[in-house]
Amino acid sequence: MRIVGLTGGIGSGKSTVSNLFKAHGIPIVDADVVARNVLKKGTGVWRKVLAAFGEDILLPSGEVDSPKLGQIVFTDPDKRQLLNRQLAPHISSRIIIEMFKLWIKGCKIIVLHVPLLFEAKMCKWTKPIIFVWVNTDTQLQRLMARDGTTAEEASSRINAQMSLDLKRDKADIVIDNSGSLEDLNEQFREVLVHVKNPLTWTEFGLSRDGALTAFFFPFFLVLS
Ligand code: ATP
């Protein structure tokens, strides 16, 4: 199975690229969706986070107010570490379960959409790594437009992340999403050709069909 890594800075266009993969029938494991499910009302993690951060982080529905929690941990590194410690192991194990479900289904290519792919060291599971890059001005404008934030808020969120240029250098494929959606689509078409190349022997071996072949091949030799 080929596990493609998809990452990039905040508001760079990862979800937009993710949707293009989905539209071409390639399944996505999205760390943000996984994190939301892990934090759903009533789960063990929800209780732990509530104990650590208090009821102020809840919406009237009892669900966690993610933007509010994000704001708290963004301004306080100790709280950010605490939240990471509470969430990270559950998110990684959930991601592994989601990937296993897709493996069982026999998927040959899946995309792991993880904003902190390098920081979480999940980059070692993925090949190729696709990095969605955007120039800072465009990133700022898009973040402000999407989230309705001020320029100061948007730039402090951008500045809090590891430099995009450092991460970009570690990627196998860089999509420059500073242009229009048509530009993005054009680059995506090339990326898709690359991603859909035949599986290598190692990737085949790691796929469900590869595992079944390896299992049944000795029986075939004995019977023939
Ligand atoms: P986050 O890090 O917050 O999860 P993201 O990397 O997933 O963000 P998107 O939500 O895909 O980024 O894109 C950010 C915003 O920019 C969205 O409003 C999206 O519609 C818009 N956008 C993405 N690519 C383009 C583009 N090429 N042209 C115009 N707008 C774009």
Side-chain angles (χ1 to χ4, degrees):
M1 184 163 78
R2 175 169 297 153
I3 308 172
V4 177
L6 176 63
T7 190
I10 182 168
S12 59
K14 301 176 296 296
S15 307
T16 310
V17 173
S18 219
N19 287 336
L20 292 173
F21 275 115
K22 261 186 239 161
H24 284 82
I26 298 181
I28 311 288
V29 177
D30 183 335
D32 288 339
V33 174
V34 168
R36 277 200 290 279
N37 287 335
V38 159
L39 254 184
K40 272 221 169 308
K41 182 180 169 184
T43 61
V45 182
W46 176 84
R47 273 191 284 276
K48 271 194 202 165
V49 169
L50 197 61
F53 291 87
E55 297 209 347
D56 283 354
I57 58 151
L58 293 185
L59 292 164
S61 64
E63 294 291 351
V64 170
D65 184 342
S66 302
K68 190 167 188 180
L69 183 58
Q71 197 55 43
I72 295 171
V73 298
F74 174 68
T75 50
D76 185 333
D78 289 341
K79 287 191 175 160
R80 186 157 66 232
Q81 266 197 0
L82 173 65
L83 183 68
N84 270 344
R85 271 203 306 276
Q86 289 180 329
L87 287 183
H90 298 274
I91 293 177
S92 331
S93 50
R94 210 51 242 178
I95 285 178
I96 292 169
I97 292 169
E98 294 302 319
M99 291 199 302
F100 183 63
K101 284 188 196 161
L102 293 169
W103 184 85
I104 296 265
K105 279 190 187 168
C107 293
K108 292 188 172 55
I109 306 169
I110 67 169
V111 172
L112 203 54
H113 170 177
V114 184
L116 301 180
L117 190 79
F118 294 109
E119 293 85 339
K121 309 258 186 299
M122 286 183 198
C123 48
K124 55 187 177 210
W125 305 345
T126 61
K127 187 82 188 167
I129 296 172
I130 301 173
F131 187 81
V132 187
W133 186 83
V134 66
N135 68 46
T136 316
D137 285 347
T138 313
Q139 187 181 21
L140 191 71
Q141 296 306 325
R142 288 188 186 152
L143 264 186
M144 287 163 61
R146 189 193 62 184
D147 301 340
T149 49
T150 63
E152 287 71 37
E153 283 167 335
S155 26
S156 58
R157 288 175 72 195
I158 292 172
N159 293 336
Q161 292 200 328
M162 192 199 269
S163 160
L164 292 194
D165 296 349
L166 278 180
K167 291 190 192 179
R168 184 180 58 180
D169 294 344
K170 297 186 192 171
D172 302 300
I173 299 174
V174 177
I175 296 180
D176 181 352
N177 188 25
S178 309
S180 64
L181 284 172
E182 290 74 46
D183 288 340
L184 177 63
N185 268 303
E186 206 167 297
Q187 293 179 70
F188 180 77
R189 274 194 287 277
E190 282 177 33
V191 171
L192 195 61
V193 170
H194 185 97
V195 163
K196 283 190 161 179
N197 274 341
L199 297 191
T200 62
W201 281 108
T202 311
E203 288 167 336
F204 175 69
L206 292 172
S207 69
R208 183 200 63 180
D209 294 352
L212 288 176
T213 308
F215 183 77
F216 286 113
F217 192 62
F219 296 102
F220 170 75
L221 284 182
V222 169
L223 294 174
S224 61

